Amino acid sequence: MTASAFDIAILGAGPVGRVLALMLARVAPDPARIALLAGAAPAPATPAAAVPAADPRVLAMNHGSRVLLETLHAWPDRSADIRNIHVSQRGRLGRTVIQHTDFNVPQLGSVVAYAGLHAKLDECVAASGVTVLSGPAAQVDRQDADGVRIVQGDNTLLCQIAVQSDGAGATDVRRDYDQHAVLTTAHATLPRRGWAWERFTSEGPLALLPHPQTPDAYSVVWCSAPERAAELAALDNAAFSKALSEAFGDRLGRLSSQAPRHVFPLALAARRAQVQGRVAAIGNAAQTLHPVAGQGLNLGLRDAARLAQTLAGWLAQPDTSPTLLLADFAQARQFDRVITAGLTDLMPRVFATGLAPVEHACGLALLGMDLASPLRAPLAQHLLQGFRA
């Protein structure tokens, strides 16, 4: 067993962990004293979706996240802009449209492929001077007044601060939505460039996002009961395309899907306390959200940005205790976490109650937001960049 000493160790090398490493490296006197603990290379039998380069997911990045990644020179080479967002519900009146011109920004957000983002971040981290340690999943063994002990296989790491960003351990608050998401790609006979669509159905939300790699195509995120999701995934292409067109409507003409379909279970999982002593949790390690409105990664990137800002001065004197700074970080992030998690938890449930009065009320709310910009501004602003303390 070998031991190494670092100022900060980041457990998990997904997008949020890598962004934090890049931001810290920019202000650290010695970036090599920041350790990024990545998992081992996937085994040959690993499902394709678990390998970053083959991951089928696309990510909806809001305007604030794009600005952050561009500042780090980590924006992927290919992306699709979202300039307008159309929100509606199937079978009920009411809809609202959020436009980029309302906020004088070039786009409300963008869609990138997970594989493309991962590759760009990997390239940036390799040039940052950060120490990357691959191996088995790392775990916090213990902490005391002097630091944190981390175990990664046969290796032991000692650090002043540990940051968990690997998606494990967020179990204080949990809700099983009894929904699975079907992910695929579809082409439309009447595509509209720059438009994203969030359609609430009795089964769950159905989102169509402009695809970053295939012009005039859409990435589909279709949420429904697990049995229904399995049924949809098993349909042949013609039957699935027909079901998709019926659920979405005719705003884009006929939808046709010839692409593979992938199914993911959906749940809310969150920590109440984002910091415990010298250990902080960010991204999926702090909260995993329903994919409605595409807020999960954007929230995690705000976690990373705030933590990097909080620790910038401390990195010059890492022999001092960071516990008060970490507590300040947790306090500053609390409101944004609660609002974003509450929003993404409420929307998929309230629009799918099956109760006509509730669904009509939702339709009136959408109509009201569409008619009066002051009513939709708070929601649109949060989707655009979230809450930043």
Side-chain angles (χ1 to χ4, degrees):
M1 179 177 288
T2 59
S4 304
F6 297 92
D7 295 334
I8 300 175
I10 303 168
L11 286 70
V16 173
R18 289 176 183 267
V19 165
L20 175 62
L22 290 174
M23 296 189 74
L24 292 173
R26 285 193 158 196
V27 296
D30 183 4
R33 292 190 59 80
I34 299 167
L36 180 64
L37 279 60
T46 301
V51 182
D55 196 298
R57 291 173 294 174
V58 300
L59 303 168
M61 313 293 290
N62 65 22
H63 178 69
S65 294
R66 176 164 185 165
V67 171
L68 171 62
L69 290 171
E70 287 179 337
T71 300
L72 296 171
H73 306 292
W75 187 248
D77 297 330
R78 302 182 70 174
S79 62
D81 287 346
I82 297 175
R83 294 186 293 274
N84 308 284
I85 301 174
H86 187 287
V87 185
S88 64
Q89 60 174 337
R90 185 185 181 196
R92 306 293 184 191
L93 295 175
R95 56 89 164 160
T96 192
V97 175
I98 303 171
Q99 299 176 301
H100 70 105
T101 52
D102 295 339
F103 301 94
N104 296 316
V105 293
Q107 64 275 321
L108 295 170
S110 305
V111 184
V112 301
Y114 181 92
L117 176 61
H118 187 278
K120 191 68 175 182
L121 287 170
D122 193 37
E123 174 187 318
C124 292
V125 167
S128 70
V130 167
T131 300
V132 179
L133 300 174
S134 298
Q139 295 181 335
V140 173
D141 182 43
R142 65 173 182 265
Q143 65 169 307
D144 55 30
D146 296 323
V148 184
R149 172 188 165 106
I150 297 170
V151 175
Q152 186 184 37
D154 292 333
N155 296 326
T156 299
L157 287 76
L158 305 176
C159 60
Q160 295 298 310
I161 297 173
V163 181
Q164 295 179 318
S165 65
D166 56 4
T171 58
D172 296 338
V173 178
R174 185 169 181 86
R175 185 194 302 280
D176 186 346
Y177 292 107
D178 194 30
Q179 289 183 355
H180 286 182
V182 179
L183 275 57
T184 190
T185 301
H187 287 264
T189 58
L190 299 174
R192 299 182 67 178
R193 290 284 185 95
W195 283 77
W197 311 81
E198 189 80 66
R199 179 85 160 152
F200 290 97
T201 76
S202 59
E203 300 176 324
L206 168 58
L208 268 67
L209 308 174
H211 201 282
Q213 296 177 314
T214 308
D216 298 329
Y218 292 87
S219 176
V220 178
V221 183
W222 191 351
C223 304
S224 61
E227 299 80 7
R228 174 62 170 161
E231 175 186 316
L232 291 170
L235 293 175
D236 61 39
N237 291 337
F240 179 83
S241 299
K242 180 180 178 182
L244 178 62
S245 295
E246 290 175 351
F248 181 76
D250 58 3
R251 288 183 174 89
L252 294 173
R254 293 188 306 278
L255 297 171
S256 174
S257 176
Q258 308 295 321
R261 294 185 282 279
H262 305 270
V263 180
F264 294 90
L266 304 178
L268 166 68
R271 295 175 185 256
R272 289 191 174 89
Q274 203 169 1
V275 167
Q276 292 183 332
R278 291 172 176 259
V279 180
I282 63 174
N284 282 346
Q287 63 273 316
T288 302
L289 309 181
H290 192 287
V292 65
Q295 290 300 296
L297 177 56
N298 295 295
L299 180 63
L301 292 179
R302 296 198 294 274
D303 286 342
R306 181 68 191 201
L307 184 56
Q309 178 185 4
T310 300
L311 298 178
W314 174 85
L315 280 168
Q317 297 179 310
D319 55 336
T320 60
S321 174
T323 54
L324 291 180
L325 290 174
L326 291 175
D328 289 343
F329 156 75
Q331 180 65 34
R333 293 296 303 137
Q334 185 174 5
F335 183 78
D336 189 20
R337 294 182 69 222
V338 169
I339 292 297
T340 306
L343 180 68
T344 58
D345 178 52
L346 176 64
M347 285 195 294
R349 294 188 296 117
V350 74
F351 278 95
T353 61
L355 301 175
V358 175
E359 293 179 359
H360 282 306
C362 291
L364 289 174
L366 291 176
L367 179 61
M369 286 192 292
D370 195 55
L371 295 176
S373 58
L375 294 179
R376 69 175 179 271
L379 173 61
Q381 190 69 41
H382 193 84
L383 296 178
L384 186 68
Q385 65 178 24
F387 177 80
R388 286 168 163 78

